[in-house]
């Protein structure tokens, strides 16, 4: 099936009691048992929920995987993922991942004896030279937030297989519509469904998709044992959203291309970063492993004053954390999403105080461009 057909139908059989076309929200904490030891496969709400299962099946198909395990947020999914490891294990991570991932790993999980190396994974040689006897996983985000640096997923998968490591890709920025890491041989895909998958800025969620049975068993166990599950209503909202993921992503991508071209031509920004621009150093890799370039654009305005001018004077772009919703957002990574990353660390990969990040929404792009023009005046 094509992506849109799967998005609308996968995991969503009409309700058997009434024929309702839309998957119901199963609000129940427990389930009646027919007799001692005999039930319908549903015992307790943390362990099983019909709406959650429908969402898991749906996104699993979109990510071309076998299993999906849903969580209350992207970070709850990342935290559950880390339960695959134990004290003494070493993990290689892309150097400018989502700030919350950095905070969880560096400021929390190191207390439990996990060791992290922050590496520019855009070059496979950096990964290989960091592998040690106790290395267990390579965790990449591509494109990264907010520098939009790409990592070659095929290369990561090869290195992982050769060294018997688990490979993980945070695919939040591309969504399954533009990139399917499992198809390049990556073991696990992680999403903050809060962003493009839900797409309407009205709920948080996370999911892990994999083909590996042993990983499924462990993460399914943790989903129940630690309980970081999404509510049935949140699952329902995300299911409502995947139905329009294809059309939304097409429009995000189309708008972002036009918007990035405008920024380049306007000369207001010192540097414009967007994988769809020929000037992006990994434009060819973007074409190879992605089916579009997405809706995220970053621009360095040279000075903090100029950046503030834009940030404080836009009227349509909302100054807010997060991304991937239908409405356009503008953010200042240095003081917002990446405030927990020390300044020296940030500047090493170009995340300066004058960098502004745009989550280009699906409004009329002429209005978005006019908004920046008036803010610059
Ligand atoms: C937002 C985000 C996360 C964290 O997800 P939450 O749903 O906010 O917990 C992880 N990775 C990326 C790339 C993100 O953008």
């Amino acid at each position: 099936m094509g992506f849109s057909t799967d998005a609308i139908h996968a995991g969503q059989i009409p309700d058997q009691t009434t024929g309702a076309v839309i998957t119901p929200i199963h609000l129940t904490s427990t389930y009646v048992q027919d007799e001692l030891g005999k039930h319908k496969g549903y015992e307790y709400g943390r362990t099983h929920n019909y709406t959650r299962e429908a969402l898991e099946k749906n996104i699993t198909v979109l990510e071309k995987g076998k299993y999906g395990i849903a969580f209350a947020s992207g970070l709850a999914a990342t935290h559950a993922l880390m339960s695959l490891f134990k004290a003494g294990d070493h993990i290689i991570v892309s150097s400018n991942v989502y700030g919350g991932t950095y905070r969880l790993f560096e400021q929390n999980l190191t207390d439990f004896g996990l060791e992290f190396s922050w590496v520019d994974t855009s070059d496979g040689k950096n990964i290989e030279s960091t592998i040690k006897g106790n290395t267990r996983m390579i965790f990449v985000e591509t494109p990264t937030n907010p520098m939009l640096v790409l990592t070659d997923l095929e290369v990561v998968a090869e290195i992982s297989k050769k060294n018997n490591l688990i490979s993980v890709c945070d695919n939040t920025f591309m969504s399954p519509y533009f990139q399917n890491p499992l198809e390049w041989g990556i073991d696990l895909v992680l999403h903050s469904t809060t962003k493009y998958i839900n797409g309407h800025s009205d709920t948080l969620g996370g999911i892990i998709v994999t083909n590996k049975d042993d990983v499924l068993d462990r993460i399914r166990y943790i989903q129940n044992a630690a309980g970081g599950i999404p509510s049935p209503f949140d699952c329902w909202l995300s299911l409502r959203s995947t139905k329009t993921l294809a059309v939304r992503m097409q429009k995000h991508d189309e708008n972002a291309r036009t918007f990035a071209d405008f920024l380049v031509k306007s000369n207001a920004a010192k540097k414009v970063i967007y994988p769809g621009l020929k000037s992006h150093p990994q434009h060819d890799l973007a074409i190879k492993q992605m089916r579009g370039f997405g809706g995220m654009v970053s621009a360095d305005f040279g000075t903090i004053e100029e950046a503030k001018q834009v940030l404080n004077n836009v009227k349509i772009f909302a100054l807010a954390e997060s991304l991937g919703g239908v409405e356009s957002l503008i953010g200042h990574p240095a003081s917002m999403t990446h405030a927990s990353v020390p300044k020296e660390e940030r500047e090493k990969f170009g995340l300066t105080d004058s960098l502004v990040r745009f989550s280009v929404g699906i409004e009329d792009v002429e209005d978005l461009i006019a908004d920046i023009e008036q803010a610059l005046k």
Side-chain angles (χ1 to χ4, degrees):
M1 295 286 177
F3 188 94
S4 293
T5 310
D6 279 338
I8 292 166
H9 296 287
Q12 298 178 74
I13 7 163
D15 176 46
Q16 279 159 18
T17 321
T18 64
V21 166
I22 297 301
T23 303
I25 309 172
H26 278 230
L27 291 174
T28 189
S29 61
T30 191
Y31 303 85
V32 68
Q33 309 203 355
D34 297 338
E35 59 182 71
L36 202 58
K38 194 170 164 226
H39 55 75
K40 298 180 167 63
Y42 293 84
E43 288 171 279
Y44 186 60
R46 178 169 14 79
T47 327
H48 297 108
N49 178 275
Y50 186 85
T51 319
R52 190 172 81 217
E53 287 168 6
L55 176 69
E56 289 175 339
K57 283 182 195 148
N58 183 260
I59 299 179
T60 299
V61 170
L62 300 184
E63 268 301 2
K64 321 236 178 279
K66 266 162 81 181
Y67 314 112
I69 312 108
F71 292 91
S73 70
L75 280 174
T78 307
H79 192 256
L81 161 75
M82 299 313 286
S83 67
L84 292 172
F85 309 103
K86 57 181 189 316
D89 286 349
H90 171 241
I91 285 131
I92 297 174
V93 196
S94 295
S95 51
N96 65 324
V97 288
Y98 177 71
T101 306
Y102 177 87
R103 181 178 56 197
L104 172 68
F105 288 0
E106 216 35 62
Q107 296 174 21
N108 182 243
L109 296 181
T110 49
D111 290 347
F112 293 83
L114 291 181
E115 189 196 339
F116 300 92
S117 289
W118 302 87
V119 170
D120 175 3
T121 52
S122 65
D123 185 345
K125 286 193 211 79
N126 296 337
I127 303 176
E128 282 186 301
S129 65
T130 312
I131 294 172
K132 312 191 282 184
N134 59 341
T135 306
R136 298 283 173 264
M137 172 170 81
I138 307 174
F139 182 108
V140 303
E141 193 178 305
T142 180
T144 54
N145 174 24
M147 301 313 297
L148 304 168
V149 174
L150 272 60
T151 288
D152 191 324
L153 293 171
E154 199 176 13
V155 168
V156 171
E158 253 169 46
I159 297 173
S160 302
K161 293 211 167 77
K162 202 164 74 193
N163 294 279
N164 210 12
L165 310 175
I166 296 174
S167 55
V168 179
C169 175
D170 182 333
N171 197 26
T172 302
F173 266 40
M174 278 301 110
S175 90
Y177 185 69
F178 281 138
Q179 181 169 271
N180 293 120
L182 299 182
E183 294 203 316
W184 294 104
I186 298 291
D187 297 319
L188 285 91
V189 178
L190 187 139
H191 280 283
S192 166
T193 59
T194 312
K195 315 296 167 53
Y196 287 106
I197 289 182
N198 185 63
H200 295 71
S201 309
D202 51 14
T203 185
L204 279 90
I207 195 162
I208 293 170
V209 180
T210 184
N211 290 322
K212 295 183 76 108
D213 297 87
D214 52 340
V215 168
L216 167 79
D217 291 347
R218 180 68 186 164
I219 295 181
R220 182 69 75 199
Y221 166 81
I222 289 296
Q223 182 193 40
N224 180 50
I229 50 161
S231 77
F233 183 54
D234 286 348
C235 292
W236 184 87
L237 280 172
S238 300
L239 260 180
R240 175 265 341 237
S241 297
T242 58
K243 295 182 186 9
T244 56
L245 185 58
V247 284
R248 282 187 288 111
M249 291 314 292
Q250 284 160 15
K251 185 70 175 164
H252 280 294
D253 181 79
E254 184 189 311
N255 278 1
R257 290 181 199 218
T258 310
F259 185 76
D261 281 341
F262 151 73
L263 285 178
V264 171
K265 287 193 192 108
S266 80
N267 284 325
K270 209 177 73 182
K271 188 174 172 199
V272 183
I273 313 168
Y274 182 62
L277 291 173
K278 288 209 179 63
S279 61
H280 190 288
Q282 296 164 297
H283 182 63
D284 292 340
L285 176 58
I287 291 171
K288 176 194 157 195
Q289 71 185 14
M290 297 158 23
R291 293 180 290 269
F293 305 112
M296 301 303 297
V297 180
S298 293
D300 196 326
F301 284 89
T303 63
I304 178 83
E305 289 72 29
E306 193 78 358
K308 270 193 189 153
Q309 166 96 16
V310 179
L311 287 157
N312 290 337
N313 292 294
V314 282
K315 297 198 169 82
I316 298 175
F317 279 91
L319 178 60
E321 306 240 0
S322 199
L323 61 107
V326 290
E327 63 289 295
S328 293
L329 301 180
I330 189 168
H332 184 240
S335 67
M336 296 167 76
T337 48
H338 287 65
S340 57
V341 184
K343 191 174 162 81
E344 318 82 73
E345 285 297 315
R346 277 194 267 121
E347 300 212 325
K348 264 190 227 159
F349 51 79
L351 203 167
T352 59
D353 287 347
S354 47
L355 190 87
V356 174
R357 191 191 77 178
F358 301 91
S359 172
V360 180
I362 64 171
E363 299 98 335
D364 296 293
V365 71
E366 302 75 36
D367 293 332
L368 301 178
I369 289 172
D371 194 27
I372 302 301
E373 281 174 333
Q374 67 79 28
L376 283 165
K377 283 206 184 108

